[in-house]
Amino acid sequence: FSADWKERFVVWDNCCGTKNLTKDYNFAELYCSTLEKAELEMSAKYNTNSVAFQFDFLNDSLDNLPKGLLYALEQNKPIVFLINPPYATSASGNGKDGKNGVSATMVYNQMLSYIGSCSQNLYAQFLYRILMIKEQYNLTNLFVGLFSPTLYLAGSSWKKFRTKWFENFSFTDGCTFKASHFADCADNWGIAFSFWTNGICEDKENFIHTLIDVEDNHIVELGKKTIYNIDYSQSAKTWLKDTNKLQL
């Protein structure tokens, strides 16, 4: 991406909350949407030249989008989804962030039978609807800048999702940092920022992220970390099972 991407691209933060991702920057064409009207009221002083609107990204019809954003989709304009989606899962899922009923959405109903158990995770649903939008409008200039945990790249329950995602988006770069750099988050787990361009992902198993931190108000690099999956390799469990069969 060139340095002037904020001037050249349509940018949509579809879970903007109080606009923390965009409030310190200027954009030529920015759309900020969130579920809660109160969040829009709290953040009204930020990005005053943007189009801010209430929209349930996991349930609402795209017909409810602002005309300018619909036009951008219809005309296949270069669009960046710049997002930090919620990470909650339903209480029936695994993990400490389970919350009753949060995954009961239109998108969940559409993706469950095809994608599997990761569908109960809200950020999986946000990414899946981006895929749906890409396919609906046949978009070839779509990019995603994503803040999220790294489970979607490595977790076994996300394998079907990865297959679909990697057919549409190619990993460009990523960095990982302590979650405590976000407000009200502990520092014993990590959050990644990854950037995805339109196209097929060539390496579907290995994703190199730069480890970063902040020292004296400056970002410093601490090293590299490869986040990987074994979607196309033999798992240890399978290897042990096959080895036991040979021994027998």
Side-chain angles (χ1 to χ4, degrees):
F1 256 36
S2 59
D4 64 345
W5 69 272
K6 292 187 289 296
E7 289 74 46
R8 296 192 301 110
F9 286 77
V10 175
V11 178
W12 183 9
D13 182 353
N14 58 23
C15 41
C16 70
T18 53
K19 303 177 186 174
N20 287 327
L21 290 187
T22 58
K23 65 182 182 181
D24 295 323
Y25 305 96
N26 295 315
F27 299 84
E29 189 172 357
L30 172 65
Y31 296 89
C32 296
S33 62
T34 187
L35 177 63
E36 302 294 341
K37 182 180 179 181
E39 292 178 329
L40 296 177
E41 294 171 348
M42 292 170 59
S43 60
K45 64 181 179 180
Y46 302 128
N47 300 120
T48 54
N49 64 334
S50 69
V51 178
F53 59 104
Q54 188 176 4
F55 186 75
D56 184 346
F57 189 73
L58 302 181
N59 287 293
D60 284 350
S61 168
L62 298 180
D63 293 337
N64 297 331
L65 293 178
K67 291 183 179 179
L69 184 52
L70 272 176
Y71 180 79
L73 294 170
E74 292 166 352
Q75 296 300 310
N76 194 24
K77 286 187 174 183
I79 298 174
V80 177
F81 279 96
L82 180 62
I83 60 173
N84 177 31
Y87 311 145
T89 61
S90 64
S92 61
N94 297 321
K96 60 185 179 181
D97 294 326
K99 297 180 181 179
N100 283 320
V102 296
S103 64
T105 67
M106 174 272 290
V107 174
Y108 173 80
N109 292 332
Q110 292 191 13
M111 70 186 290
L112 177 61
S113 60
Y114 180 66
I115 298 298
S117 61
C118 78
S119 306
Q120 63 197 351
N121 192 301
L122 287 185
Y123 82 95
Q125 295 185 27
F126 271 83
L127 296 177
Y128 190 77
R129 191 162 202 201
I130 290 173
L131 284 171
M132 293 169 63
I133 292 172
K134 182 178 187 291
E135 292 182 348
Q136 179 177 344
Y137 289 95
N138 194 28
L139 301 177
T140 58
N141 291 304
L142 191 63
F143 306 85
V144 179
L146 170 68
F147 288 92
S148 73
T150 58
L151 184 63
Y152 77 107
L153 293 174
S156 59
S157 65
W158 292 73
K159 182 176 179 179
K160 291 182 179 180
F161 170 84
R162 284 192 290 271
T163 299
K164 183 72 171 176
W165 185 257
F166 296 158
E167 289 173 352
N168 288 275
F169 292 104
S170 178
F171 178 77
T172 299
D173 204 355
C175 62
T176 305
F177 51 91
K178 290 181 179 179
S180 55
H181 288 300
F182 281 2
D184 302 321
C185 290
D187 64 359
N188 58 352
W189 62 289
I191 290 177
F193 176 76
S194 56
F195 191 75
W196 299 84
T197 58
N198 185 79
I200 298 173
C201 191
E202 297 297 330
D203 187 346
K204 299 176 175 61
E205 293 188 82
N206 302 285
F207 306 91
I208 299 174
H209 285 61
T210 303
L211 299 174
I212 61 173
D213 206 344
V214 177
E215 294 180 2
D216 299 324
N217 295 319
H218 290 87
I219 295 176
V220 294
E221 295 187 9
L222 305 178
K224 301 286 185 180
K225 179 179 179 62
T226 299
I227 300 166
Y228 68 93
N229 61 67
I230 54 171
D231 290 352
Y232 303 93
S233 304
Q234 188 181 44
S235 68
K237 182 178 180 180
T238 303
W239 180 82
L240 285 171
K241 186 183 294 185
D242 291 345
T243 301
N244 289 336
K245 287 180 180 178
L246 290 174
Q247 291 175 347
L248 292 174

